[in-house]
Amino acid sequence: MNVLIVFAHPEAHSFCGALKDTAVERLTALGYTVEVSDLYRQGFSPIGGPADFRHELADGPFNYQTEQRRAHANGSYANDVATEQAKVARADLLMLNFPLWWFGPPAILKGWIDRVLSVGFAYDSDRRFDRAPLRGRKGMVTVTTGSPVERFTAGTPRAYASVEDTLMPLQKGLFGYIGLEPIPPFLAFAPARSPEEDRQALLRHYAEHLTAAAGLDGGAQRALHTNGA
């Protein structure tokens, strides 16, 4: 089984980075082939536009999706997009690892989604959901937050939004749309506020969660971890 981890944190030694390293170690030990797209270290541009293509653009107003379809049909994507698409094509499991910023992924990851999971390659008007080109694969998110779990628990004072609502754009709007089966996400709430022993416990929980969520021991429930977990 091949795994692609798309890592989107500006600090390699962050807790997000420790989660990424844990995933690489655990999944490799289980016999998986793991690739990592470290977007900040790669200098990946999040800006989609005419520079995404090596073919001559159509006359008239620029239409991004039209050019994406042409690039997919003709093999004329820019090298950075083509390289990432080749990684996705090899992957049975796509993992997105990022810090939650404004209830969503950082711009660099959103740009990766826009540019790489493009029309023609990952979906089209008649190839979505159970007919999408990437169907039969899985998707998973690994998230760190700055706020504690109570802010994502419905009915608690000063709650922001539920975990389900927060992750819906990725779990359903992205994974489901392009045919990936969403497997249980892992959320580490406010790890920067946790003592070192609790952060180490979170990493152990994550390694256990990966074993279960990847289907190696019958599946797993959604994992929500916070201080002292």
Side-chain angles (χ1 to χ4, degrees):
M1 186 174 188
N2 297 318
V3 180
L4 173 61
I5 301 174
V6 183
F7 176 57
H9 198 293
E11 174 49 65
H13 300 294
S14 62
F15 193 76
C16 257
L19 289 167
K20 179 261 296 178
D21 293 342
T22 297
V24 172
E25 180 180 355
R26 172 54 62 98
L27 294 172
T28 300
L30 291 169
Y32 289 29
T33 299
V34 182
E35 288 189 275
V36 177
S37 286
D38 187 339
L39 300 185
Y40 281 95
R41 260 55 63 185
Q42 291 174 201
F44 185 84
S45 172
I47 301 173
D52 285 2
F53 312 109
R54 292 185 289 108
H55 59 252
E56 184 175 346
L57 302 179
D59 293 335
F62 175 73
N63 185 302
Y64 194 34
Q65 287 193 326
T66 295
E67 301 301 342
Q68 287 182 326
R69 287 189 177 96
R70 293 180 64 202
H72 177 68
N74 299 326
S76 54
Y77 273 110
N79 289 338
D80 60 343
V81 176
T83 296
E84 294 302 307
Q85 288 183 338
K87 295 177 186 177
V88 173
R90 288 191 290 269
D92 302 292
L93 170 60
L94 171 64
M95 299 177 67
L96 306 180
N97 176 317
F98 62 93
L100 193 70
W101 290 358
W102 291 108
F103 296 94
I108 197 168
L109 178 54
K110 179 57 167 63
W112 183 92
I113 293 168
D114 293 343
R115 299 182 66 210
V116 175
L117 302 180
S118 59
V119 66
F121 171 71
Y123 71 97
D124 213 324
S125 56
D126 59 346
R127 298 188 302 153
R128 296 173 290 174
F129 302 106
D130 61 351
R131 299 182 63 188
L134 300 177
R135 65 189 179 279
R137 307 166 194 237
K138 297 181 179 182
M140 178 181 170
V141 296
T142 298
V143 183
T144 58
T145 74
S147 298
V149 65
E150 292 78 15
R151 297 290 187 266
F152 299 90
T153 305
T156 59
R158 299 175 63 193
Y160 299 149
S162 69
V163 167
E164 289 77 11
D165 287 347
T166 301
L167 296 183
M168 185 276 291
L170 294 175
Q171 294 285 85
K172 295 182 180 180
L174 175 63
F175 290 160
Y177 195 83
I178 66 173
L180 304 188
E181 175 190 351
I183 61 176
F186 187 95
L187 292 94
F189 295 99
R193 306 183 187 185
S194 304
E196 180 60 22
E197 58 267 29
D198 288 350
R199 290 195 292 270
Q200 292 302 314
L202 281 171
L203 295 176
R204 291 193 296 272
H205 284 305
Y206 185 50
E208 295 164 0
H209 176 79
L210 289 171
T211 301
L216 297 176
D217 69 358
Q221 299 298 313
R222 185 187 70 212
L224 307 177
H225 293 296
T226 185
N227 299 0

